[in-house]
């Protein structure tokens, strides 16, 4: 395991043409819980120009993984998924690549300070970590919180029409967390992970009005859709456009079928096939960095001639 306190170094970032040409200086900032990306080692830059090009908070990093299958010509590269964006990075060696993957995954984990005693959560409740504090929440479900044999199974084993991981916005803190979603013929549930047996919440399909893509309200997020209910709008972000489209189509199909059931119980409506439709993995389709993130790494001022990073100048073009 890498020493998180001292991990830093130069790596190459993939540009929008899919090439690894420009070097950037990466540094883990444990004090502020973020990874900082500079044009060069800050110690070599003038004090007026040593601000990072991009900062990624640990709490928005959902995945860090080997990307050599996605980028077979990229050498020892890996990717960071953060807030729905993916950044592909090329390390100088396989050892360095694995060191950064392990360190970033370790740093982005939620940590809880040592506690003298943690009580087990009573039935239909769960212990969760919020801001480093353990909080107890009630599991919401469509049947008033009563356990059923099916909900005692791990989420991954539940019979479903569609299931998979995505990132959801919280109701109060408005932070984004990775959750495992399960859609069946009567409801839409989300779990902390695929091994959990009780959902954080279950929404009956009869309470859902529609699922639609989000276009204008969250400019910095890609592959985002919303689930509209009478009481609340849920925002869910997928890793690829295909996943987003599949979720919207499948949810609306199930909602329409529920409406047919309630309006004409004598007819047997067409059902969505019950075999599970799992979300595509990043190895099947990868997203490009959003324009907002790319602009931070690549400002528009590219017309200036390249010069030494340690030169004596006031501005620092990226390319």
């Amino acid at each position: 395991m890498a020493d998180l306190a001292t991990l830093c170094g130069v790596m190459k970032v993939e540009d929008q043409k899919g090439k690894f040409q420009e070097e950037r200086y990466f540094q883990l900032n444990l004090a502020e819980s973020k990874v900082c990306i500079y044009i060069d080692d800050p110690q070599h830059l003038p004090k007026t120009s040593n601000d990072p090009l991009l900062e990624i908070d640990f709490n928005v990093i959902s995945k860090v993984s080997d990307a050599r299958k996605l980028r077979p010509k990229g050498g020892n590269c890996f990717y960071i998924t953060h807030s729905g964006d993916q950044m592909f990075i090329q390390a100088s060696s396989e050892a360095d690549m694995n060191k950064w993957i392990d360190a970033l995954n370790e740093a982005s984990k939620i940590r809880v300070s040592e506690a003298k005693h943690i009580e087990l959560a009573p039935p239909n409740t769960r212990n969760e970590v919020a801001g480093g504090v353990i909080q107890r929440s009630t599991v919401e479900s469509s049947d008033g919180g009563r356990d059923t044999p099916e909900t005692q199974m791990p989420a991954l084993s539940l019979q479903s029409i569609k299931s998979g991981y995505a990132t959801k916005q919280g109701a109060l803190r408005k932070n984004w967390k990775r959750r495992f979603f399960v859609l069946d013929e009567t409801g839409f549930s989300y779990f902390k992970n695929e091994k959990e047996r009780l959902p954080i919440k279950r929404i009956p399909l009869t309470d859902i009005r529609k699922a639609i893509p989000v276009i204008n309200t969250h400019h910095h997020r890609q592959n985002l859709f919303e689930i509209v209910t009478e009481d609340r709008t849920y925002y869910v972000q997928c890793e690829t456009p295909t996943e987003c489209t599949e979720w919207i189509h499948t949810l609306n199909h199930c909602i329409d079928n529920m409406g047919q059931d309630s309006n004409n119980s004598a007819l047997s409506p067409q059902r969505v096939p019950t075999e599970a439709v799992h979300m595509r993995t990043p190895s099947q389709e990868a997203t490009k960095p959003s324009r907002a993130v790319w602009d931070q790494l690549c400002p528009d001022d590219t017309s200036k001639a390249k010069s030494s990073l340690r030169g004596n100048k006031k501005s620092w073009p990226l390319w």
Side-chain angles (χ1 to χ4, degrees):
M1 181 62 63
D3 185 357
L4 301 185
T6 60
L7 186 58
C8 59
V10 176
M11 295 185 288
K12 293 183 178 180
V13 180
E14 184 188 49
D15 59 26
Q16 289 191 317
K17 295 181 180 180
K19 297 182 179 180
F20 296 90
Q21 294 181 335
E22 298 300 328
E23 294 182 338
R24 297 290 175 264
Y25 187 87
F26 288 74
Q27 184 178 59
L28 286 188
N29 186 338
L30 295 182
E32 298 182 10
S33 299
K34 61 181 65 174
V35 54
C36 301
I37 306 174
Y38 300 85
I39 195 170
D40 192 16
D41 187 339
Q43 296 180 358
H44 299 156
L45 297 173
K47 292 184 179 180
T48 56
S49 305
N50 63 356
D51 292 332
L53 300 173
L54 180 66
E55 296 178 330
I56 305 174
D57 292 336
F58 292 159
N59 62 0
V60 301
I61 296 177
S62 59
K63 190 173 184 179
V64 183
S65 184
D66 190 329
R68 287 178 291 185
K69 290 184 178 180
L70 296 175
R71 299 291 188 270
K73 296 182 180 180
N76 301 302
C77 64
F78 64 98
Y79 67 86
I80 302 174
T81 301
H82 62 98
S83 304
D85 286 301
Q86 280 187 330
M87 177 185 297
F88 288 83
I89 304 162
Q90 184 186 72
S92 58
S93 66
E94 183 176 2
D96 281 345
M97 179 194 72
N98 291 327
K99 179 172 65 175
W100 275 99
I101 292 174
D102 292 342
L104 287 168
N105 280 319
E106 179 68 20
S108 58
K109 287 180 181 178
I110 298 176
R111 290 180 172 80
V112 186
S113 56
E114 269 187 49
K116 295 181 179 178
H117 178 66
I118 300 177
E119 296 181 0
L120 295 177
N124 298 326
T125 64
R126 65 173 67 246
N127 289 330
E128 289 190 324
V129 178
V133 179
I134 298 177
Q135 296 182 346
R136 182 166 296 164
S137 60
T138 302
V139 177
E140 303 179 44
S141 62
S142 58
D143 59 358
R146 295 190 298 271
D147 294 337
T148 63
E150 194 174 44
T151 58
Q152 293 302 304
M153 300 172 60
L156 186 62
S157 302
L158 296 177
Q159 184 177 1
S160 64
I161 296 170
K162 183 173 177 61
S163 64
Y165 278 101
T167 305
K168 188 189 75 69
Q169 187 184 51
L172 299 178
R173 295 178 179 270
K174 302 301 180 183
N175 54 347
W176 295 80
K177 292 187 177 180
R178 194 165 183 254
R179 299 299 186 212
F180 188 79
F181 293 84
V182 175
L183 173 65
D184 58 42
E185 293 186 347
T186 60
F188 180 69
S189 307
Y190 55 90
F191 299 74
K192 186 175 182 180
N193 56 57
E194 63 188 34
K195 298 179 181 179
E196 289 292 315
R197 297 176 181 270
L198 288 175
I200 297 175
K201 187 167 185 178
R202 177 175 173 82
I203 310 170
L205 287 181
T206 52
D207 291 351
I208 300 177
R209 294 180 178 177
K210 58 184 176 181
I212 57 175
V214 176
I215 300 175
N216 297 321
T217 57
H218 293 73
H219 299 283
H220 61 296
R221 293 190 176 274
Q222 297 176 324
N223 314 321
L224 185 68
F225 70 95
E226 62 183 32
I227 300 172
V228 182
T229 69
E230 293 184 0
D231 301 326
R232 176 184 166 189
T233 298
Y234 298 82
Y235 292 96
V236 180
Q237 185 175 34
C238 303
E239 289 197 356
T240 68
T242 301
E243 290 174 5
C244 186
T245 302
E246 287 178 356
W247 271 112
I248 294 172
H249 173 77
T250 309
L251 273 165
N252 286 327
H253 195 135
C254 293
I255 294 168
D256 292 342
N257 282 345
M258 288 294 292
Q260 292 175 18
D261 282 340
S262 60
N263 292 334
N264 191 354
S265 58
L267 297 178
S268 178
Q270 181 182 1
R271 294 290 184 183
V272 178
T274 56
E275 51 268 14
V277 182
H278 293 284
M279 298 173 71
R280 298 189 180 185
T281 63
S283 62
Q284 295 170 304
E285 181 173 353
T287 60
K288 290 286 186 181
S290 68
R291 188 67 194 177
V293 171
W294 187 251
D295 286 344
Q296 289 181 276
L297 287 173
C298 310
D300 292 334
D301 187 11
T302 59
S303 61
K304 297 182 180 180
K306 296 182 181 179
S307 59
S308 170
L309 293 176
R310 296 169 178 81
N312 189 9
K313 58 181 181 178
K314 296 182 179 179
S315 60
W316 298 88
L318 293 176
W319 308 125

